[in-house]
Amino acid sequence: MRVLVVGGGGREHALCWALAGSPLLTKLWCAPGNPGIAEVAECVLVSATDIPRLLDFAEAERVDLVVAGPEAPLTLGLADACAAAGIRCFGPTAAAATLEGSKAFTREVADAAGVPGAHWRRFDEPAAAKAYIRAQGAPIVVKADGLAAGKGVVVAATVAEAEEAVAEIMESRIHGAAGATVLIEECLLGEEISFFALCDGTTALPMAAAQDHKRVGDGDVGPNTGGMGAYSPPPAFTDALRDEVMATIVQPTLDEMTRRGTPFRGVLFAGLMLTASGPKLIEFNVRFGDPECQVLMMRLRSDLLAALLAACDGALTNFDLRWENDPAMVVVMAAEGYPGTPRKGTEIRGLEAAARIPGAQVFHAGTALRADGALVADGGRVLGIAATGKTLRDARDAAYAAVDAVDWPGGFCRRDIGWRALKG
C-alpha cells in the first residue's frame, strides 16, 4: 500500500511512526511533514490545506490511501476530493466533518440522537450572550462555534470572565470567523476524558481512552492550550463506562449522521465529562487528538494501516483491535511564550539521548532544520516526549527522564502530567 499522511505535527509523526511498521506498507509520504517525520516517511512540501495540490500528488504517485491528520483539510473537503478521484481517504466528508467544524451542529445532532450533554444556547449577538451569562451565573462555558485550533473554549469561573470571553471571541475576533457565533453551555463537573472510536459509516469500533491536560501550568492553572500532555488508559474510564459511551453517545451519533445522509467514516473523538449522573458529551472532533494520538499509537498492538483500511471499506464489524496493557504517557515540550506568541528559532539538542531512555519515543510537533542543519523550534508545541512502562508511574518516570535528557533552554513543560491518576 502506498500511503500519504496529511499534516505536520506530533499527531502526524505518531501516525507515520505506527504506519511505518505495517507489513502492508510499501511507501509512506507525509505532507508537509517535519524533521522527525522525515526519519520514517518521505516529506512532501505541500500544505495540509492545499487540497488541489494534495490530490495532484496522490494521483501522480498512485497513492492507495490518504490519511488526514488535522481537521482543517477534512472540513475543506479532502475526503470528498479523494472520493471523486477514486482514492481511499481515512476521514469524514466535509459535511460529516461539520461535527467538529460547528459546535452548534454537534449539539443539534446530539440532541436529535438523545445523546446526554450540557444544556446550551447559541448566540449570534454579543449583547444577548452576555445577558444570558448574567442570568445563568458562573461557572459557565463559552465556546467559539467554529474551528479555533483547540483554543476556542473558555471555562469561566466568574460572570466577568465569561463576559470577557464573549467580547474577545465575538467582538475582538481573536479566533477570526470561528467566533461569529458562540455557544454558552452549562459547566459540567467531573473528570474529563478523551475517547476514540473507529467508524465505517455504520459500525463503530471502540479504540481507547486518554486523559489530556489542557491548561499550560502545573496544577491545571493558566490559559488553555492545544494540550500539554496525556496518558492512557485513564483509570477512571472503566470497561463498563466504555460500553455505556458506545451505547449512549457514539452509536446514536453514528446512526443520526446516517439518517441525515452524511454517514461518518474515520475516527470519532468524543470529549467526555464523567459526571455524577454518568458520562456526558462535551464535544466531538473528527480526527485523532494531539497529544492523545501519541499515547494511543504507543499502546496499539494491531496493524494501524489494516484498521484504517477497514474503516474506509466498511469492514469494521469483525475487526479486532488489540492494545498493550502497559500504560503510556506523553509530555509536551513547548516554546517560551506559548500559548501566546512562542519564541521560534531556539536550538534543540539531546534528542538522541532522550530516545535512548528505555521505553521512550520522541515525537516532533513544531520543529525545523536551520540552514546549518541544527534542529530548532518552529511552533508553540514543539516536542512530544512519550514513554511506556509497566505502571503509569513507570511511564511517567521514563517520560520525564527523556525530557531531562533534552538540552533546550528555550523550552518548558508541565511536570505533573498524570497527576489525577497518580495522586496519593
Side-chain angles (χ1 to χ4, degrees), residues 377-408:
D378 193 41
R381 295 186 298 166
V382 176
L383 297 169
I385 310 298
T388 57
K390 290 297 182 184
T391 67
L392 184 60
R393 197 172 298 276
D394 291 338
R396 179 201 62 182
D397 291 348
Y400 279 109
V403 165
D404 291 338
V406 177
D407 179 9
W408 182 30

Side-chain angles (χ1 to χ4, degrees), residues 1-3 26 58 61-66 87-89 309:
M1 297 289 295
R2 298 162 69 83
V3 179
T26 55
E61 296 294 341
R62 306 185 314 292
V63 167
D64 299 299
L65 175 67
V66 174
I87 300 170
R88 289 187 182 99
C89 179
L309 288 170

Side-chain angles (χ1 to χ4, degrees), residues 241-323:
L241 281 174
R242 176 201 61 204
D243 294 343
E244 182 178 353
V245 167
M246 290 297 294
T248 64
I249 295 177
V250 174
Q251 192 62 51
T253 299
L254 207 60
D255 294 342
E256 174 63 17
M257 292 296 286
T258 298
R259 188 192 68 77
R260 290 171 177 244
T262 54
F264 186 91
R265 299 179 183 89
V267 61
L268 189 62
F269 168 3
L272 307 171
M273 189 68 77
L274 305 185
T275 74
S277 57
K280 294 187 178 183
L281 178 70
I282 300 172
E283 64 181 9
F284 281 128
N285 295 310
V286 299
R287 36 68 188 181
F288 286 104
D290 189 347
E292 294 99 332
C293 184
Q294 289 85 311
V295 289
L296 263 61
M297 294 304 105
M298 292 286 283
R299 294 187 57 225
L300 182 64
R301 290 180 59 195
S302 297
D303 182 344
L304 176 64
L305 181 50
L308 302 188
L309 288 170
C312 291
D313 295 343
L316 286 178
T317 302
N318 297 313
F319 198 89
D320 180 34
L321 276 178
R322 292 171 292 112
W323 301 89

Side-chain angles (χ1 to χ4, degrees), residues 171-196:
E171 297 168 1
S172 301
R173 292 294 180 93
I174 60 171
H175 303 302
T181 296
V182 299
L183 273 64
I184 310 298
E185 296 186 359
E186 168 195 10
C187 184
L188 299 175
L189 301 178
E191 281 208 48
E192 191 170 344
I193 297 292
S194 301
F195 177 69
F196 300 85

